[in-house]
Amino acid sequence: MAEPEFTAKGVRIDKRLRSLTRAGQVRISEGRLQLLTSYGSEIDSAPVQAVRASKPWFASEDRALADLNGQRYSLTLGEHDPAPGEPGPPAARRFIEAVRRAAGRDH
């Protein structure tokens, strides 16, 4: 199995107004985006080319949106990348860039 291109742990994943997990994972590996619970169970996954990642204009800097398989998920990552060696999810901006890079859409 190849090394993931992007991994974020401790991510809150919501679908509409319902919280699915408060400490989930987001992983981009081998051309797929996976949303996982804190226990590692898959919530949803899709090929990166079919995923739309964006920044909601009305939300704080730590939020991102991911549209997978006709479902919209709200992800709460970090406002800033954690310091080297420190725990915490990477910035939402880095997630959006990783999705675009993995899908071949650089900007």
Side-chain angles (χ1 to χ4, degrees):
M1 190 165 156
E3 190 71 22
E5 299 158 34
F6 177 86
T7 302
K9 295 181 180 181
V11 178
R12 181 183 172 123
I13 303 173
D14 299 324
K15 183 171 147 185
R16 298 193 185 238
L17 298 175
R18 190 172 133 227
S19 175
L20 301 176
T21 183
R22 291 189 205 184
Q25 291 184 44
V26 177
R27 184 182 309 156
I28 299 174
S29 181
E30 298 178 3
R32 290 191 71 77
L33 172 72
Q34 293 180 297
L35 302 178
L36 307 168
T37 67
S38 55
Y39 299 108
S41 301
E42 187 173 283
I43 295 170
D44 205 347
S45 72
V48 197
Q49 290 83 4
V51 173
R52 195 178 89 201
S54 59
K55 176 90 184 80
W57 60 271
F58 56 86
S60 60
E61 286 296 311
D62 62 347
R63 303 278 299 277
L65 297 175
D67 293 328
L68 287 83
N69 303 319
Q71 301 293 323
R72 175 170 285 179
Y73 297 94
S74 174
L75 310 175
T76 304
L77 294 110
E79 281 191 46
H80 307 286
D81 288 332
E86 293 294 315
R93 170 189 45 77
R94 211 173 92 194
F95 162 72
I96 295 168
E97 291 169 1
V99 170
R100 291 180 180 156
R101 195 172 43 253
R105 303 181 298 253
D106 283 339
H107 287 290

